[in-house]
Amino acid sequence: MMKFRFRRQGNDPQREKIKQELFAFNKTVEHGFPHQPSALAFDPELQLMAIGTRSGAIKVYGAPGVEFTGRHRDTAAVTQIHFLQGQGRLLSLLDDNSLHLWELGGASRDGGGDKKEDVAYLEERHAYSLPGRPGLDSCSMSRVTVLLLLRSCDLCVGTEGGGVHFLDLPRLLLRDNQSLLLDQVMQSMPDDYRCGKSLGPVESLQEHPQLPGKILIGYSRGLVVLWDIPSRKTEHLFLGKQQLESLVWERSGSSFVSSHSDGSYCVWAVTSGNPYTHQPMSSTIPYGPFPCKAINKILWRTTPSGCPVVVYSGGMPRASYGDRHCVSIQQDKHHVTLDFTSRVIDFFTVHTMDLHHEYDDPSALVVLLEEELVVVDLQTSGWPSIPPPYLAPLHSSAITTSCHIDSVPAKLWDRLCVAGESQGMHHTHRSWPICGGKNLAPPPKQQELLLTGHEDGTVRFWDVSGVALTPIYKLTTANVFHTDCDPNDDVLDPSNDPDTQEEWPPFRKVGCFDPYSDDPRLGIQKISLCKYSSRLVVAGAAGQVIVLGLSEERSDHTVDISTVDLLQDREGFTWKGHDRLEPRTSPTPFPPGFQPLVLVQALPPASVTAVTLQAEWNLVAFGTSHGFGLYDYQRRTAVLARCTLHPNDSLAMEGPLSRVKSLKKSLRQSFRRIRKSRVSGKKRPPSTPTSKANAALADQEEMAPVQRRIEPRSADDSLSGVVRCICFADTFLRDGTMLSVSLVAKTKFKLTAHEGCRVRRVAMVTMYSTAQEDYSENILVCLTNLGDLHLFTMPALRPQVRYECIRKEDISGIASCVFTKYGQGFYLISPSEYERFSLSAKVITEALCSVQLNRQLESHSSDDNATTHQANGTHRNPAEVFTDDPQSGLSSPLSSPLDSPLSMADLSLDTTGDLTVEDVRDYLATVDEAENNLRNITEEDARSPGILIN
């Protein structure tokens, strides 16, 4: 194994300087949808949206590339967030009853002696907690239930005990002697309404849209109070009799709307004269008359047509649709019930906020769900969805694999974008309504793709060239096979549009989050894309390998099917795993985009563990737990199939049910031990030769709990085990002067990086210097099972630096890590989010943005205490630097063409074992040989037409 002995003396200062110019570890961007969102807010003046999560994070979004992130000191859930409009400040309420004020700060950027625009970041400024701890009966009365930010820049707080308190902003100081207590409200109520019942918690607070200082206070019992803050008097009481859920003003202030627990909403007129209103102007149960669930929130927006747009959540018939997650939109005779696959957290409308404007005139509806964000265009007929440029759910189906593509050719990029646009038939082309802030990051020098394979058999293409992770195109492979879906379903056929089918309520499926898979065998396990030939290979969990080509036209054709038997008719093996998927044998419609050319079915149908594509030779190679195969997809013939199983390892063929026998045997032994213990106290019969033999046999069986026979295997048995890596490469297999095109298949890895760590990911990357434009080095990056990143020089394998990247307990994060060619990487920090990091001091993708505020950006000190809760700016972790030979790494970098389809730099290995130095040098020549050969050999005369199998 590789053991590194570090020499602490005699460090080369020149080499240390080069390391600082090459390497720097930064966690830069969190791509995807926030995990477990719990609160939503919108600043209509700055056009910024904020999302709070259960883990205490706050994320602010604007135009694509404008992102800010902050985290509370405690990991309590964020229950409410509110913007101070136009100020770049927002207020958060946590479930521990604490209030926190956040604001955007600024730091100037200097470059070349010229002062540039301020880069904004988010940081916490103040915190406050009302007296009392939640959870105790004596203190629960002070628990905050609702917040209202007044136009006077004061804060109004409603509590569970029915009290209303006022705080000064931005200092979060409680105003003495200005609180409205429940006793004062009870005194103004008529006697017949009291009935000895409590009013309950404050459920809603709403300020008058035309008269600042007048607020509506809604109590859970149904009472609504119009309260004048300056005079501290009750102006009007609305004596509702149904449990209250929410309130909203009509724009003119002449009326307001209340929603209730019985699925109804009421319109109340605000008039002068009688101080009491007993009945609303109108009361409606949209989905009655049968019992309905509560309408949790309602919005009432006026329009120039005179018909208001009414938006509300909930209200479904309790018996038939009580489990649906819905938001309804109504305007005149138009009625749509948006049906989602996850719980509704909150929603808002984008509308005119100018007080001098007569109407709200809403343009968009933004709905935050537990698993995705949906935006609906309210100005286009039919209310279609607006495709999101970011915040798309990565986990619409569980992610099973991922692949990164650097430097995507412009032609391929354009064709993918066109194919993706053709898939958005039910989407509008209206611009994204959340467009605040300004992205200061320079435009990307290259286009980058992130491909994610999913459990439902889909492959999604994402633009990761910048900060925003934008969906481009989705490929579906389920239509190649017979599944639970109707084989005659055609997504391009308008007769299959569910919107054309009449039903009540008028449901419309919205959003793309769908956690259910028709068949787990559809799950994508490996992906390989050739960006030069536009050929794609996807491999699944049932041994299916699909070769696809990119087409700009719709096609109806039958997919060619071939089988490759990896067992090669070996006797004595029985596969007891799942069956293969049944392919469709009739012509199938395929939309523009990647269309299947041939289906290669590996037998036995075990999950594919490795796949690679050589488009120049029209070859695809794949490996499973039983062997590997090489297939010519142009001639539709199998070139070779090799079984990697040991001849005596018959149990490896029994699939996932092979442990049933061991379980039965273990239970049998357990019962025998129990029976033996019960009779141990009884008088034993006289011993006989037969009884002695039976006792010896039972003791031997108990002493040997091993269920499988361990066969001795030689150390050079390279064909045993799972094929974990397979690739085409230009290697010096024949001699040190002649490059050969080779297929390399490996079943074992024996790399011990440092102190017994196991390597989980390996990749070759190119690091560019920040000081010299023409200087770079080829580096081997290893991710261990402890979450550490080790960097080694190539080809000498001398250690350079080590970074702590992922927590060792985060097994899914380590397993999902993928590297880019130029020193960046991605790994899952939740089922819906990728963390992006950079190992390069030069190549960094981070959010650099500014926001135009009504106040001047304040620059704060950047000491350690102040930056712990800031967002933007990279999160730098200290590096552990290895000292090495002073001669290492000082030569110019290898000049091999790293963008070649056969380049080993494109190789990212998924390892589960150990890799020795000898195994690495099977692929690499010595340092001197490699440097001499690469100086004298060109790519044209180095290629050999033969294919060698190692």
Side-chain angles (χ1 to χ4, degrees):
M1 294 184 181
M2 287 191 325
K3 296 290 185 180
F4 305 130
R5 301 188 179 276
F6 310 128
R7 300 190 300 178
R8 301 297 181 185
Q9 68 279 2
N11 295 350
D12 187 355
Q14 183 180 359
R15 181 57 188 170
E16 296 303 318
K17 181 181 178 181
I18 293 177
K19 287 183 180 181
Q20 294 179 0
E21 297 170 352
L22 290 173
F23 312 125
F25 179 71
N26 302 300
K27 291 184 178 180
T28 56
V29 183
E30 293 179 358
H31 292 300
F33 183 77
H35 184 51
Q36 294 181 335
S38 55
L40 177 68
F42 180 65
D43 188 333
E45 186 171 340
L46 298 181
Q47 295 291 300
L48 296 177
M49 177 183 67
I51 296 177
T53 69
R54 296 183 195 173
S55 61
I58 290 183
K59 301 189 176 185
V60 180
Y61 302 92
V66 177
E67 296 183 9
F68 309 94
T69 304
R71 294 189 180 276
H72 294 86
R73 292 178 176 87
D74 300 326
T75 57
V78 180
T79 57
Q80 296 183 43
I81 46 179
H82 300 269
F83 273 102
L84 280 71
Q85 292 186 15
Q87 300 184 26
R89 295 188 176 104
L90 58 89
L91 193 70
S92 62
L93 171 66
L94 305 186
D95 64 355
D96 62 0
N97 212 40
S98 62
L99 296 170
H100 302 262
L101 181 67
W102 297 77
E103 68 179 30
L104 295 175
S108 61
R109 301 176 61 202
D110 296 328
D114 298 328
K115 185 175 181 180
K116 298 184 179 181
E117 297 181 72
D118 286 345
V119 177
Y121 57 86
L122 186 66
E123 67 173 348
E124 182 181 344
R125 300 297 293 164
H126 301 285
Y128 176 79
S129 296
L130 288 176
R133 294 182 302 167
L136 299 178
D137 294 339
S138 59
C139 302
S140 61
M141 305 295 285
S142 62
R143 186 174 182 86
V144 178
T145 56
V146 63
L147 300 175
L148 172 64
L149 288 170
L150 302 173
R151 289 198 291 274
S152 61
C153 295
D154 293 328
L155 176 64
C156 185
V157 178
T159 64
E160 190 170 336
V164 179
H165 308 276
F166 298 90
L167 284 77
D168 284 327
L169 292 177
R171 296 176 297 169
L172 288 179
L173 297 179
L174 182 65
R175 287 186 176 181
D176 297 331
N177 303 323
Q178 290 199 12
S179 298
L180 174 61
L181 301 181
L182 193 59
D183 294 341
Q184 187 174 354
V185 177
M186 296 285 288
Q187 294 175 1
S188 59
M189 291 168 46
D191 295 337
D192 59 347
Y193 190 78
R194 296 181 185 179
C195 301
K197 297 181 181 180
S198 172
L199 295 180
V202 178
E203 293 292 343
S204 182
L205 294 170
Q206 298 292 330
E207 187 176 17
H208 197 289
Q210 303 296 332
L211 302 175
K214 297 182 184 296
I215 61 173
L216 284 177
I217 305 173
Y219 294 90
S220 177
R221 178 180 164 186
L223 175 69
V224 179
V225 178
L226 180 59
W227 175 261
D228 183 67
I229 298 176
S231 63
R232 293 183 50 79
K233 292 183 179 180
T234 300
E235 290 196 352
H236 205 97
L237 293 180
F238 303 88
L239 307 178
K241 299 179 181 179
Q242 190 58 246
Q243 180 177 336
L244 182 70
E245 295 291 333
S246 70
L247 296 172
V248 62
W249 280 102
E250 189 267 337
R251 186 177 184 87
S252 65
S254 61
S255 63
F256 68 89
V257 183
S258 62
S259 67
H260 301 275
S261 62
D262 63 345
S264 67
Y265 66 85
C266 304
V267 181
W268 301 78
V270 180
T271 59
S272 59
N274 191 342
Y276 306 125
T277 298
H278 295 270
Q279 296 293 334
M281 290 192 303
S282 63
S283 180
T284 305
I285 303 179
Y287 300 109
F290 300 105
C292 297
K293 300 196 71 174
I295 294 181
N296 303 307
K297 181 178 179 178
I298 189 169
L299 298 177
W300 186 282
R301 303 300 184 218
T302 58
T303 63
S305 65
C307 298
V309 175
V310 184
V311 183
Y312 53 89
S313 62
M316 289 292 103
R318 187 178 298 274
S320 53
Y321 301 109
D323 58 343
R324 297 287 187 99
H325 309 290
C326 299
V327 171
S328 300
I329 308 175
Q330 292 181 232
Q331 185 181 25
D332 197 13
K333 297 181 180 180
H334 302 285
H335 189 165
V336 171
T337 305
L338 305 179
D339 189 9
F340 305 103
T341 54
S342 59
R343 185 170 59 93
V344 177
I345 303 298
D346 202 353
F347 57 92
F348 63 83
T349 58
V350 180
H351 60 277
T352 302
M353 295 299 295
D354 186 1
L355 296 178
H356 302 290
H357 201 278
E358 187 177 357
Y359 305 103
D360 293 308
D361 196 16
S363 60
L365 170 66
V366 179
V367 184
L368 175 65
L369 306 162
E370 196 169 33
E371 304 294 350
E372 61 183 323
L373 183 81
V374 174
V375 180
V376 178
D377 182 6
L378 296 180
Q379 292 187 337
T380 302
S381 177
W383 298 324
S385 299
I386 301 177
Y390 53 83
L391 287 178
L394 281 166
H395 64 315
S396 53
S397 176
I399 297 177
T400 52
T401 186
S402 58
C403 174
H404 183 270
I405 307 297
D406 285 281
S407 305
V408 180
K411 183 178 180 180
L412 172 60
W413 186 270
D414 295 339
R415 296 175 70 186
L416 284 174
C417 292
V418 171
E421 291 174 358
S422 66
Q423 294 178 330
M425 297 191 318
H426 303 291
H427 290 168
T428 180
H429 297 286
R430 188 174 296 274
S431 60
W432 183 247
I434 304 166
C435 53
K438 181 179 180 181
N439 184 13
L440 303 179
K445 298 180 180 179
Q446 61 175 0
Q447 302 292 347
E448 301 180 42
L449 278 176
L450 180 67
L451 280 61
T452 55
H454 299 265
E455 188 181 29
D456 61 353
T458 59
V459 178
R460 286 172 167 82
F461 293 66
W462 308 88
D463 179 7
V464 291
S465 307
V467 173
L469 182 122
T470 306
I472 296 181
Y473 168 72
K474 184 181 78 170
L475 166 68
T476 301
T477 61
N479 51 2
V480 180
F481 307 96
H482 287 288
T483 61
D484 293 339
C485 299
D486 186 355
N488 296 320
D489 283 349
D490 183 1
V491 296
L492 303 180
D493 187 356
S495 62
N496 293 324
D497 186 1
D499 296 345
T500 61
Q501 302 174 5
E502 296 183 0
E503 61 175 335
W504 183 260
F507 289 117
R508 178 199 295 174
K509 287 289 185 182
V510 182
C512 59
F513 177 75
D514 185 8
Y516 308 105
S517 174
D518 295 330
D519 194 324
R521 296 175 295 175
L522 291 171
I524 304 298
Q525 301 299 312
K526 296 295 176 182
I527 304 172
S528 181
L529 172 66
C530 177
K531 58 188 178 184
Y532 304 103
S533 63
S534 301
R535 287 288 186 266
L536 174 68
V537 175
V538 296
Q544 70 270 28
V545 179
I546 307 175
V547 182
L548 305 102
L550 189 58
S551 175
E552 299 175 358
E553 302 293 335
R554 171 191 167 121
S555 175
D556 294 74
H557 64 271
T558 303
V559 180
D560 294 334
I561 303 171
S562 299
T563 58
V564 177
D565 187 4
L566 301 180
L567 297 182
Q568 299 175 328
D569 298 328
R570 291 199 178 189
E571 298 180 356
F573 294 105
T574 303
W575 170 252
K576 295 183 180 179
H578 49 242
D579 296 332
R580 54 183 289 186
L581 287 164
E582 181 183 356
R584 295 185 180 180
T585 56
S586 59
T588 305
F590 296 102
F594 278 105
Q595 299 173 353
L597 304 177
V598 60
L599 167 64
V600 183
Q601 178 64 56
L603 297 178
S607 177
V608 177
T609 57
V611 72
T612 186
L613 172 66
Q614 220 292 355
E616 183 179 356
W617 294 80
N618 299 316
L619 295 175
V620 58
F622 56 91
T624 70
S625 57
H626 306 98
F628 63 91
L630 183 64
Y631 185 83
D632 186 333
Y633 58 83
Q634 184 178 26
R635 296 192 177 103
R636 306 296 198 266
T637 59
V639 179
L640 66 88
R642 182 71 60 86
C643 181
T644 57
L645 292 175
H646 192 274
N648 295 330
D649 194 5
S650 60
L651 289 178
M653 295 302 302
E654 295 186 356
L657 301 178
S658 62
R659 296 185 179 272
V660 176
K661 295 182 179 178
S662 300
L663 177 61
K664 290 181 179 179
K665 193 171 184 180
S666 300
L667 291 175
R668 189 182 302 114
Q669 291 178 353
S670 299
F671 283 118
R672 286 178 178 175
R673 284 193 294 267
I674 295 173
R675 189 183 303 111
K676 182 179 179 181
S677 63
R678 289 180 178 176
V679 301
S680 59
K682 298 181 180 180
K683 183 177 180 180
R684 298 182 180 275
S687 60
T688 63
T690 304
S691 62
K692 290 181 180 181
N694 291 336
L697 182 60
D699 293 340
Q700 180 181 1
E701 188 176 18
E702 290 183 7
M703 292 296 294
V706 179
Q707 304 304 316
R708 296 182 178 181
R709 183 182 299 275
I710 305 301
E711 297 291 341
R713 299 182 182 180
S714 60
D716 58 350
D717 184 7
S718 61
L719 295 180
S720 61
V722 180
V723 177
R724 305 190 185 278
C725 170
I726 190 167
C727 62
F728 295 97
D730 289 333
T731 57
F732 297 97
L733 287 181
R734 295 181 174 178
D735 52 49
T737 59
M738 195 67 175
L739 279 172
S740 302
V741 180
S742 309
L743 174 65
V744 182
K746 273 293 181 179
T747 59
K748 295 184 299 182
F749 289 92
K750 296 181 180 179
L751 179 54
T752 300
H754 177 52
E755 298 296 337
C757 303
R758 287 181 177 270
V759 169
R760 297 305 189 195
R761 287 289 186 275
V762 178
M764 295 178 64
V765 302
T766 302
M767 298 291 191
Y768 288 92
S769 172
T770 58
Q772 307 177 45
E773 293 292 335
D774 58 346
Y775 184 82
S776 63
E777 290 188 9
N778 295 332
I779 300 296
L780 178 69
V781 181
C782 299
L783 174 67
T784 71
N785 62 330
L786 300 182
D788 298 336
L789 290 169
H790 296 255
L791 276 63
F792 305 92
T793 58
M794 292 296 294
L797 293 180
R798 293 191 176 95
Q800 299 299 296
V801 293
R802 180 182 70 88
Y803 300 109
E804 295 180 359
C805 180
I806 312 174
R807 294 181 300 107
K808 63 180 180 181
E809 298 84 6
D810 188 3
I811 299 176
S812 62
I814 295 174
S816 64
C817 185
V818 59
F819 297 103
T820 74
K821 188 183 298 183
Y822 300 107
Q824 297 191 74
F826 305 83
Y827 68 92
L828 287 173
I829 55 176
S830 73
S832 60
E833 293 174 289
Y834 271 108
E835 177 78 73
R836 187 171 189 153
F837 63 89
S838 175
L839 300 170
S840 172
K842 185 173 183 178
V843 181
I844 301 176
T845 302
E846 59 181 344
L848 299 174
C849 43
S850 65
V851 178
Q852 188 68 33
L853 305 177
N854 291 339
R855 62 177 178 85
Q856 185 177 1
L857 275 179
E858 300 178 10
S859 299
H860 305 289
S861 61
S862 59
D863 55 10
D864 293 339
N865 294 331
T867 58
T868 52
H869 304 288
Q870 293 177 6
N872 291 19
T874 56
H875 315 292
R876 302 180 184 273
N877 290 11
E880 179 179 337
V881 181
F882 296 131
T883 60
D884 54 8
D885 190 343
Q887 301 295 328
S888 65
L890 296 181
S891 59
S892 61
L894 298 179
S895 58
S896 59
L898 294 180
D899 210 29
S900 168
L902 296 182
S903 172
M904 288 293 290
D906 287 332
L907 178 62
S908 180
L909 307 182
D910 177 9
T911 69
T912 56
D914 302 326
L915 178 64
T916 62
V917 177
E918 288 76 19
D919 289 332
V920 175
R921 287 177 179 170
D922 285 341
Y923 307 104
L924 302 173
T926 62
V927 181
D928 296 334
E929 290 177 345
E931 292 180 352
N932 292 332
N933 291 332
L934 290 175
R935 289 193 189 101
N936 301 321
I937 298 178
T938 61
E939 183 179 359
E940 287 75 18
D941 58 13
R943 182 163 295 166
S944 171
I947 298 178
L948 302 180
I949 306 300
N950 182 22

